[in-house]
Amino acid sequence: MTNTAQFPTNDRPWRLSFVQRGSHRGRSIRRRRRCTIDNPIDNLSTARRVEHLGRVAAIVALDSTASGGNGFSMTIEDSAPILGDCHIGDSICVNGACLTVTEFGETWFKVGLAPETLERTDLGERKVGDLVNLERAMAAHVRFGGHFVQGHVDSTVTVLSRVPDGNSLRLTFQLPPPTPDRPSLLPYLIAKGYITLDGASLTLTDVNDEAQTFSVMLIAHTQEKITLAGKPVGARVNVEVDMVGKYVERAVLAALGGSGGQPAEGIAKIIERVVQKAVADAAQK
């Protein structure tokens, strides 16, 4: 069976549903074209770091087929376990990036990658035969045990070191240098907080502000279930920070009256008002 469509159809209303994006600690939310309460995912395990490992079957830089839309496409095979309830236009998380299904069969599916996705993630570096982490939408009736992840990759980080610790593996990553367009991700990282790497939700074991690095630890079971354990030093990894931190930051900046993501203007106004009040109070004495 093959299902194709040039673009996702709009014959179904947008509804809110949950999306699982990684481990038993990672869960996500995203708007979907169908309500997952009506289409539950059966036997969804919440003990795995990702739902399934697929394999890249084809990469086409300019796919002129109806499902390719004259853009960059990737076909992923060995995916039968997650395609039983698949529809054109559904979202499937591939290495942490939420992508839209444009065509699928019994054991494979195709997704399109926009220039923004190729620039923000490592998916453009994948080769035919590479394993990728896959995750479907999480039904609302299953156990919820982690943080929200959107599948919107913020950037990539670099594997700095791999250190065995008993039967576990400690991985340390280097954050990219901040730019005017992409501020540092460091403010969103806290020890024992959450981070999403290649779609797997993991616990931060260490954050080094000075070195701009952070670490996670993978237990033996997790090492067998995700691609992250096999990435060498120097490899790029997709990262998404906790979106709750982003909303808190934005709310605080708004409360301070800052603009353009910078609180300085708002803080200056607060200080000015405090000084004016102090001067006025002193003048009345």
Side-chain angles (χ1 to χ4, degrees):
M1 178 185 68
T2 299
N3 298 269
T4 63
Q6 186 169 3
F7 300 103
T9 59
N10 292 315
D11 58 346
R12 286 175 289 175
W14 288 87
R15 300 181 184 178
L16 182 64
S17 67
F18 293 92
V19 177
Q20 183 179 353
R21 286 286 183 259
S23 72
H24 61 291
R25 290 183 176 273
R27 303 292 181 269
S28 312
I29 55 172
R30 183 172 178 79
R31 287 198 174 274
R32 295 290 301 276
R33 293 185 179 276
R34 59 194 176 86
C35 180
T36 53
I37 295 177
D38 299 328
N39 299 274
I41 298 174
D42 296 327
N43 302 319
L44 178 63
S45 171
T46 59
R48 295 179 296 176
R49 288 294 173 181
V50 295
E51 191 177 359
H52 185 67
L53 288 177
R55 190 178 300 275
V56 178
I59 297 173
V60 181
L62 185 59
D63 190 338
S64 60
T65 65
S67 59
N70 291 315
F72 191 106
S73 73
M74 179 180 292
T75 301
I76 300 170
E77 61 184 359
D78 297 337
S79 305
I82 66 167
L83 297 176
D85 61 349
C86 187
H87 294 75
I88 297 297
D90 278 0
S91 296
I92 294 181
C93 195
V94 180
N95 270 10
C98 187
L99 304 175
T100 300
V101 176
T102 59
E103 182 179 0
F104 69 95
E106 292 183 358
T107 63
W108 59 272
F109 68 95
K110 181 192 286 188
V111 292
L113 283 76
E116 169 76 3
T117 304
L118 293 171
E119 198 272 330
R120 286 261 184 179
T121 73
D122 74 336
L123 291 177
E125 300 174 4
R126 296 304 98 217
K127 299 178 177 60
V128 172
D130 283 356
L131 292 175
V132 288
N133 298 328
L134 303 177
E135 200 77 35
R136 292 178 297 178
M138 185 187 76
H141 69 283
V142 301
R143 189 181 299 278
F144 189 90
H147 81 299
F148 289 114
V149 182
Q150 296 173 299
H152 300 163
V153 175
D154 289 300
S155 185
T156 58
V157 293
T158 304
V159 180
L160 193 62
S161 67
R162 298 164 45 90
V163 180
D165 190 348
N167 68 343
S168 296
L169 178 64
R170 187 182 301 275
L171 297 174
T172 299
F173 301 88
Q174 181 70 59
L175 286 163
T179 66
D181 293 333
R182 296 186 188 177
S184 174
L185 298 176
L186 193 62
Y188 309 108
L189 307 183
I190 58 172
K192 304 307 178 183
Y194 291 113
I195 193 166
T196 306
L197 299 174
D198 275 355
S201 177
L202 301 167
T203 300
L204 289 157
T205 58
D206 179 71
V207 178
N208 188 318
D209 292 356
E210 183 176 356
Q212 298 277 303
T213 63
F214 66 88
S215 301
V216 300
M217 182 169 284
L218 307 181
I219 63 173
H221 174 80
T222 304
Q223 294 174 48
E224 298 175 354
K225 300 299 181 180
I226 64 175
T227 60
L228 186 59
K231 289 202 168 182
V233 171
R236 290 205 303 160
V237 176
N238 298 329
V239 60
E240 180 182 342
V241 297
D242 190 353
M243 69 175 181
V244 174
K246 296 178 183 178
Y247 283 121
V248 170
E249 178 188 49
R250 188 170 183 84
V252 170
L253 291 180
L256 292 175
S259 60
Q262 299 297 327
E265 178 184 347
I267 293 175
K269 290 180 179 179
I270 292 175
I271 294 175
E272 182 180 356
R273 289 198 296 268
V274 171
V275 171
Q276 289 175 348
K277 185 177 185 304
V279 171
D281 291 345
Q284 293 176 358
K285 293 181 180 179

